[in-house]
Amino acid sequence: LYANIVKSEFCSEQCKDILILYGSPKEYGTTGRLLKSFLGSLPFDFNMTFINSYEKNIKPCTACDYCHNHEKCKLDDFELISNSINNADVIIVATPVYFLSFPAPLKAIVDRMQVYWSARFLQNQYPPIKKSKKGILLACSGADNYDGINIIEKQCRQFFSVINTKFSGIITWTGTDFDKIGSDSIKHAKKMAVELFSDD
């Protein structure tokens, strides 16, 4: 799906590293289409790390408190994501809304951000992630309202804040149960891809 978008072979000195946290079980659904439109319109070259939450099998946070006194999580399945967070210039969360929240596999990843919260507030590491980033949310909702999207946005802003990531924009596609084409949402994604980085 994204092979024709990744520009790593031709990256310039201004090339950016993008981390995508993907919450949909479908590669070619509305979330995938919205993400592809956004990526294809970005005004810079980039390397992309694509984390499909349904393929990584990240264990949920167990509240073991290990990260309260250590600079990492006790569970060892988060290393790839952690390294990608550290290196990224841009983090994109692309997800559908499931019962007013993230789908379970992506929520497991979000909850594992507890290690950075602990570093910031219990170990006084500020910021726990040294490299500052831009964060963008792409959210699709079957319902023709923003109830679930508003909840996801609030969660997204919170975990972005502890990984030195500025919440820079949100792109939505509501009513996906009824609007299968989403032409306005696709156009908006392409427009926002340019506008969000116009000052870079």
Side-chain angles (χ1 to χ4, degrees), residues 112-178:
R112 292 286 294 278
M113 301 292 174
Q114 178 70 16
V115 68
Y116 302 113
W117 184 93
S118 296
R120 168 66 183 92
F121 294 102
L122 300 181
Q123 300 180 40
N124 297 315
Q125 296 181 31
Y126 185 77
I129 299 292
K130 302 303 181 185
K131 188 176 183 180
S132 62
K133 315 162 193 311
K134 281 190 173 183
I136 298 149
L137 172 62
L138 276 62
C140 296
S141 172
D144 194 17
N145 60 59
Y146 288 85
D147 293 351
I149 289 174
N150 290 338
I151 292 172
I152 284 178
E153 179 182 347
K154 187 173 183 179
Q155 295 178 76
C156 202
R157 285 179 180 274
Q158 185 167 8
F159 85 78
F160 275 176
S161 71
V162 296
I163 56 173
N164 199 9
T165 300
K166 178 183 177 182
F167 191 98
S168 300
I170 179 171
I171 301 165
T172 63
W173 182 349
T174 60
T176 61
D177 288 347
F178 315 101

Side-chain angles (χ1 to χ4, degrees), residues 61-81:
C61 176
T62 61
C64 69
D65 296 341
Y66 183 85
C67 64
H68 287 191
N69 301 300
H70 300 80
E71 295 184 8
K72 63 179 182 178
C73 182
K74 186 176 182 179
L75 302 172
D76 61 0
D77 59 351
F78 200 65
E79 185 175 359
L80 170 62
I81 297 175

